[in-house]
Amino acid sequence: MKKLLFFPLYFLFGFHAFGQGNYEVFYTDSLLNQAEKVNSDSAKIILYFQLSDFWSERDTSKAFSYLKLAKHHFPKHTEYFQGLFHFYNAGIYFDREINKGMEEYMEAEKYLKRIHSKTAYTYRSKLWNNYGALLQRLDREEEYIEILLEYSIPFAQKAGDSIMVANDYQNIALVLMNTTDYSKAAEYYQKAIESLESFNLAHEEKLTAYVNAAKNAIYSRNFEKAKIYLDQARIQLALIPHSLYAPVYYSSAGTFYRHEDKLDSAMVNLEKGLQLAQASSDFRTESAILFEKYLVYKKMGDFKAGKEMLLQAQKFNLNTANLHDQRLHTRELAYTDSKLGNYREAFDWLDRYVMLTDSAFEEDSEIKILELEKKYKTIEKDNEILQLKSENQQQELELEKNKFTIVLLLSVTLIGILTTFFGLTLYRSKQRTIKQNQLLHKQELKSLKQKEQLKVYNAMLQGQEQERNRIARDLHDGLGGMLSGVKLKLSSIVSKESYHLTQPDMEIYKVIHQLDQSVAELRRIARNMMPESLIYTGLRPALQDLCNYLTSDKTSITFEAYNLGDHHEQSLQISIYRIVQELLNNALKHAEARNILVQCSENENTLYITVEDDGKGFDPSQHDHSQGIGLSNIKNRVQVLQGTFEISSKLGEGTTCNIEILLNEK
């Protein structure tokens, strides 16, 4: 069926042997020769209609010329051929002027509805299907489904064309599948399959129906049903191994086995589909299969091979307008590079993803602007036509009643001015609305970009904490245990040898003392990297322990906690601990303070942290942020927790840091 948005047709014979250009010449010459040889006007008309239909997508001037030749042979008073004339005329406008195409289909319906024959019912089924497809292009999917159910399918049934009925059921199922109504789509796929069961030679239609039904079952996670449909599709494919739908079958089979965790089988099927898609120059299917191979490698954990698949798939989208695929591939490349540790490349891909999202919104805005301009121009043309008509009426009526003409002209002019005024007012109002929407989109995208950057930084912080935890465990449990063991052995040796020596070997005692110091230093390092008190006793004791540990003869640190809960997630407790630790390190290192006060309190889902010292202070406006790595780390951590960070400091008067963090309600 010609020009359906969803159900594809393939030229299964002759196309590869001749090549596309030779095939066009062969096909059109064959039809022309037949048209010249036949004596029947009816046969000539049908052949010219077929030639017009062939050229409708290639050369509109030729398509119109063959329609004109067909009309030249029309017999008198024939509504049937008049209906077909408008049907094929609509086919020429189909991809170019949707409204004109819809008008022509309805004109064809006006003639064909008076004829009660199977051929007339067949054409009526086709024209209603195509009319609904045009509505679908205008994002009116529900109306398309209603037309298929109320008109196209009933007329196909009257024509006795079960294959056409099956194709219509598939179109309904595909619309429902695209809107994620998988259960309803499954019902119509089953109806399509049942309509094809009695046709032994409808292998291509059956293959397409089984493959699409399997894809729908996979989307709805009904893998048992998907396996049944794929097995049936494989039987049909064995009968038509050169079908151009074979790559889609192998792609669907690969997706099925990926979900079943049979990754070797998935890769075998995807490789077959990739080879067939490359052989038939089906670049879109080739790109889809490469992306599916990436998903298999992703599941294997082989991100290096997966990235190679993504880059190959990405090549097919660079010179196309398919922003959806470009955004999807770019986002996955960012994820893959982050897994490979290529954080710079991951950030670049993420930045490109945001740019592509920007482009998508801009494209929508441009389309809306063009539609408004078109409507505005239409209003202007209507006003011009109205004005011309008014002027013509004025000239005609001027001969009869001059007075009446003047009044009429003034009235029409006033109406035109008012219409133009209100039209311009409405247009400007819509323009302001468009600009506001564009500004809102930009703000949303900026917010999205900031959130993505925070996610990347949060992931880095979590990775750092995990690595610190691992190193701390290794130092404490591994190296610490070894050093303690060495110390015990040396002590044992000294105890045994002391019975034989008149004087103890002081060097050995020095070594044992150095081992004691090494173990203490190692435990100090491990404790700083991941304090045990935070893990085993909670945030409040850990902060108290930190303040006690950093207190010295030079600096006194006081810790105060008010209503500080111990029920928070460990990741939040670690972040708060690191923030306080960094603030204390800054105060000890730079402030030369004698007294430091640390206060932590919790009230109505808000955590408050205050660190105040009596050190030398600084001027925040003159502070060199390029050297303030500690403060930068604190600000980033607070930002990840969606909190606020304020510093109040003056030279010679100390420094106060206030932090507020909004806690999630449990």
Side-chain angles (χ1 to χ4, degrees):
M1 189 178 297
K2 181 179 180 292
K3 291 185 175 67
L4 298 184
L5 290 186
F6 293 112
F7 190 70
L9 285 183
Y10 299 98
F11 297 106
L12 299 178
F13 54 91
F15 195 84
H16 295 292
F18 292 97
Q20 186 171 358
N22 292 332
Y23 171 76
E24 292 177 357
V25 174
F26 174 81
Y27 181 78
T28 54
D29 286 349
S30 175
L31 291 179
L32 278 173
N33 289 334
Q34 293 181 56
E36 291 173 0
K37 291 178 181 179
V38 297
N39 296 321
S40 168
D41 282 338
S42 297
K44 286 181 181 290
I45 292 169
I46 296 299
L47 289 167
Y48 285 132
F49 279 153
Q50 291 177 5
L51 281 164
S52 176
D53 184 58
F54 178 84
W55 287 109
S56 64
E57 295 180 4
R58 298 165 175 81
D59 190 334
T60 56
S61 62
K62 288 185 178 181
F64 282 122
S65 67
Y66 284 119
L67 274 185
K68 188 175 180 181
L69 284 173
K71 196 170 186 178
H72 180 72
H73 293 278
F74 277 11
K76 294 182 179 180
H77 310 299
T78 171
E79 294 179 336
Y80 176 74
F81 287 124
Q82 285 288 349
L84 296 192
F85 175 86
H86 288 289
F87 174 84
Y88 287 106
N89 199 32
I92 299 173
Y93 289 108
F94 190 94
D95 289 321
R96 297 166 181 85
E97 296 183 36
I98 292 179
N99 292 331
K100 181 67 175 177
M102 295 172 71
E103 291 175 6
E104 285 297 304
Y105 280 130
M106 290 300 95
E107 194 69 15
E109 170 67 6
K110 184 175 72 174
Y111 288 99
L112 293 175
K113 69 180 181 181
R114 303 169 188 169
I115 303 166
H116 304 285
S117 66
K118 287 190 174 182
T119 53
Y121 292 139
T122 298
Y123 275 104
R124 291 181 73 186
S125 176
K126 291 180 179 179
L127 76 85
W128 278 109
N129 187 16
N130 293 348
Y131 183 87
L134 290 176
L135 289 176
Q136 195 275 338
R137 287 196 173 189
L138 297 174
D139 294 328
R140 296 158 67 178
E141 287 86 0
E142 292 182 1
E143 293 180 55
Y144 180 31
I145 292 176
E146 291 176 2
I147 284 175
L148 288 172
L149 291 172
E150 295 179 13
Y151 296 99
S152 186
I153 292 175
F155 285 133
Q157 290 171 338
K158 284 186 177 182
D161 193 338
S162 297
I163 292 180
M164 189 182 297
V165 171
N167 291 345
D168 287 340
Y169 280 138
Q170 274 210 78
N171 287 335
I172 294 173
L174 283 162
V175 174
L176 293 169
M177 187 169 68
N178 286 344
T179 57
T180 68
D181 191 352
Y182 302 123
S183 60
K184 203 70 177 175
E187 296 177 13
Y188 284 99
Y189 277 129
Q190 187 59 37
K191 288 183 179 182
I193 292 169
E194 290 171 359
S195 298
L196 295 170
E197 284 178 350
S198 60
F199 291 88
N200 295 327
L201 298 179
H203 303 303
E204 186 69 34
E205 291 79 5
K206 289 180 180 179
L207 172 63
T208 307
Y210 284 128
V211 170
N212 288 336
K215 289 165 67 176
N216 183 73
I218 292 171
Y219 293 152
S220 60
R221 298 298 187 267
N222 189 348
F223 299 110
E224 182 178 353
K225 198 71 175 178
K227 180 67 166 60
I228 294 172
Y229 285 133
L230 287 173
D231 290 342
Q232 294 294 328
R234 188 173 64 253
I235 294 172
Q236 301 301 321
L237 185 60
L239 299 172
I240 48 170
H242 299 295
S243 168
L244 294 182
Y245 215 62
V248 183
Y249 161 77
Y250 286 115
S251 176
S252 302
T255 303
F256 168 78
Y257 285 119
R258 173 173 63 83
H259 284 287
E260 289 291 288
D261 289 331
K262 298 178 180 178
L263 302 184
D264 291 338
S265 298
M267 198 61 76
V268 169
N269 280 276
L270 292 173
E271 190 58 35
K272 287 182 181 178
L274 184 62
Q275 293 176 5
L276 291 172
Q278 291 172 340
S280 59
S281 299
D282 187 355
F283 301 119
R284 185 168 182 81
T285 302
E286 184 179 351
S287 176
I289 293 174
L290 287 168
F291 185 79
E292 184 60 36
K293 288 184 72 175
Y294 154 72
L295 294 176
V296 175
Y297 281 124
K298 180 180 178 181
K299 205 164 191 178
M300 291 178 175
D302 189 352
F303 292 99
K304 183 177 181 181
K307 181 181 179 181
E308 182 62 28
M309 295 300 102
L310 275 177
L311 290 174
Q312 292 184 39
Q314 180 79 348
K315 292 178 182 178
F316 294 104
N317 297 317
L318 292 177
N319 298 320
T320 68
N322 193 340
L323 285 175
H324 176 270
D325 288 350
Q326 291 186 46
R327 290 173 61 210
L328 176 62
H329 292 183
T330 304
R331 187 186 67 190
E332 290 300 319
L333 279 165
Y335 172 79
T336 303
D337 270 326
S338 69
K339 285 292 184 181
L340 292 171
N342 303 329
Y343 298 112
R344 179 69 260 178
E345 294 180 26
F347 181 81
D348 290 341
W349 286 118
L350 191 62
D351 189 60
R352 177 169 173 76
Y353 170 78
V354 174
M355 290 175 61
L356 290 171
T357 305
D358 245 331
S359 300
F361 280 114
E362 288 176 2
E363 188 174 276
D364 289 341
S365 299
E366 289 175 1
I367 292 172
K368 290 178 181 177
I369 291 170
L370 289 173
E371 289 177 352
L372 288 172
E373 288 178 351
K374 186 176 180 181
K375 289 179 181 178
Y376 178 66
K377 289 179 180 178
T378 302
I379 292 173
E380 283 187 330
K381 289 181 180 178
D382 290 341
N383 290 335
E384 289 175 2
I385 293 170
L386 181 63
Q387 188 173 357
L388 288 173
K389 287 182 179 179
S390 300
E391 290 175 357
N392 290 333
Q393 289 176 358
Q394 179 189 0
Q395 291 176 359
E396 292 174 359
L397 295 174
E398 218 172 53
L399 299 174
E400 299 177 3
K401 295 181 180 180
N402 292 332
K403 221 179 199 185
F404 178 75
T405 302
I406 294 171
V407 174
L408 180 63
L409 179 61
L410 290 172
S411 300
V412 171
T413 304
L414 181 60
I415 291 171
I417 292 171
L418 290 173
T419 303
T420 304
F421 173 75
F422 286 117
L424 287 171
T425 303
L426 179 62
Y427 175 75
R428 289 169 180 169
S429 176
K430 290 183 177 179
Q431 289 284 15
R432 287 195 296 270
T433 303
I434 290 171
K435 290 180 180 178
Q436 290 173 355
N437 289 338
Q438 288 177 338
L439 181 61
L440 180 61
H441 289 323
K442 289 181 179 179
Q443 291 174 347
E444 289 176 351
L445 288 174
K446 184 178 180 181
S447 176
L448 177 62
K449 187 174 182 180
Q450 291 175 346
K451 288 180 180 178
E452 292 296 334
Q453 290 174 344
L454 287 176
K455 284 182 181 178
V456 172
Y457 184 75
N458 191 25
M460 292 173 62
L461 288 179
Q462 291 178 2
Q464 288 176 359
E465 292 298 338
Q466 291 173 1
E467 186 64 13
R468 284 180 174 179
N469 195 12
R470 184 188 68 78
I471 295 172
R473 287 198 309 269
D474 291 346
L475 288 173
H476 186 275
D477 299 338
L479 184 57
M482 292 171 63
L483 290 174
S484 297
V486 171
K487 176 195 168 186
L488 289 174
K489 287 183 180 180
L490 283 174
S491 298
S492 176
I493 292 171
V494 170
S495 297
K496 290 179 181 179
E497 293 296 327
S498 63
Y499 295 106
H500 306 290
L501 298 174
T502 57
Q503 292 183 346
D505 189 347
M506 299 307 296
E507 292 298 323
I508 293 179
Y509 286 107
K510 289 180 180 179
V511 170
I512 293 173
H513 179 66
Q514 288 175 349
L515 281 173
D516 282 334
Q517 291 178 331
S518 298
V519 170
E521 178 65 15
L522 185 143
R523 288 177 177 171
R524 184 190 66 79
I525 294 171
R527 180 184 178 284
N528 283 337
M529 298 189 73
M530 184 51 63
E532 294 181 356
S533 58
L534 179 62
I535 298 173
Y536 298 111
T537 62
L539 180 61
R540 180 171 180 170
L543 292 175
Q544 181 68 65
D545 186 41
L546 175 65
C547 293
N548 293 339
Y549 178 74
L550 293 177
T551 297
S552 65
D553 295 336
K554 294 182 179 180
T555 306
S556 172
I557 302 176
T558 303
F559 175 70
E560 296 177 355
Y562 305 99
N563 196 30
L564 185 61
D566 57 358
H567 59 279
H568 305 299
E569 295 180 355
Q570 190 176 49
S571 60
L572 175 63
Q573 295 186 39
I574 292 173
S575 295
I576 295 170
Y577 184 89
R578 293 299 182 202
I579 290 170
V580 175
Q581 186 182 40
E582 194 71 42
L583 287 170
L584 288 174
N585 287 337
N586 279 349
L588 292 170
K589 182 178 179 181
H590 302 293
E592 298 179 4
R594 295 290 299 171
N595 297 285
I596 301 174
L597 174 63
V598 178
Q599 290 182 332
C600 292
S601 61
E602 186 177 336
N603 183 30
E604 295 183 354
N605 298 316
T606 303
L607 180 68
Y608 302 93
I609 301 172
T610 299
V611 177
E612 183 178 350
D613 67 67
D614 60 356
K616 61 183 181 180
F618 65 95
D619 185 357
S621 63
Q622 302 296 324
H623 182 61
D624 187 358
H625 292 282
S626 65
Q627 296 178 358
I629 298 175
L631 286 178
S632 178
N633 287 338
I634 295 169
K635 289 179 180 178
N636 287 330
R637 287 185 181 274
V638 173
Q639 194 173 14
V640 168
L641 296 175
Q642 298 182 353
T644 59
F645 178 45
E646 295 181 354
I647 298 178
S648 176
S649 182
K650 290 184 179 180
L651 290 172
E653 296 184 10
T655 302
T656 301
C657 298
N658 293 308
I659 296 171
E660 291 185 14
I661 297 171
L662 184 63
L663 304 174
N664 294 325
E665 294 186 9
K666 295 293 181 181

